[in-house]
Amino acid sequence: QVQLVESGGGLVQAGGSLRVSCAASGRTFSSYAMGWFRQAPGKEREFVVAINRIGGTYYADSVKGRFTISRDNAKNTVYLQMNSLKPEDTAVYYCAADLAPGTLRIRDYAGAYDYWGQGTQVTVSS
């Protein structure tokens, strides 16, 4: 079992920055990949970015160059730094854990992830 708890969401003006965090517990954090997804009202959940257990990353085109994912294995935490935010970034942001063993592959679909946090709201005003 893995428990994930997001924090750090909030309201920010367009062009601003925000950092959200996801604290994990229950399994060896350094052994699995982590991803961020988001879901806007009336839309499907979409992939944002993921990081594998050795720090390799993969970004959705919509956030490339603006968002940065990082992980601190000593703190069992993954971070999402969001810069140059746009109103279309408004969504509930979810972190998720991909426990597939022995792979460095980064997967960009929700079905690959085994555990999910409760989500944190990010609202970008225009």
Side-chain angles (χ1 to χ4, degrees):
Q1 287 277 13
V2 173
Q3 294 78 42
L4 302 173
V5 179
E6 300 99 335
S7 61
L11 173 65
V12 64
Q13 289 189 331
S17 298
L18 203 61
R19 189 177 80 160
V20 292
S21 303
C22 173
S25 61
R27 291 279 291 269
T28 304
F29 180 70
S30 59
S31 68
Y32 52 86
M34 292 292 298
W36 285 98
F37 289 75
R38 65 186 180 186
Q39 188 166 19
K43 295 188 177 182
E44 293 188 354
R45 190 169 298 190
E46 66 171 355
F47 172 79
V48 177
V49 60
I51 185 168
N52 66 16
R53 57 187 175 87
I54 62 168
T57 58
Y58 178 69
Y59 292 84
D61 288 343
S62 58
V63 305
K64 201 173 295 183
R66 300 188 300 122
F67 290 13
T68 302
I69 190 172
S70 61
R71 66 189 298 161
D72 185 337
N73 289 339
K75 295 184 178 180
N76 291 352
T77 300
V78 63
Y79 304 98
L80 180 63
Q81 177 67 45
M82 301 181 287
N83 298 330
S84 302
L85 282 160
K86 305 174 182 180
E88 51 264 43
D89 295 316
T90 295
V92 177
Y93 282 71
Y94 298 90
C95 66
D98 178 358
L99 270 62
T103 179
L104 298 178
R105 185 176 57 177
I106 298 172
R107 301 192 285 183
D108 63 357
Y109 53 97
Y113 290 77
D114 304 284
Y115 295 95
W116 293 81
Q118 82 288 351
T120 186
Q121 177 70 47
V122 172
T123 303
V124 184
S125 63
S126 56

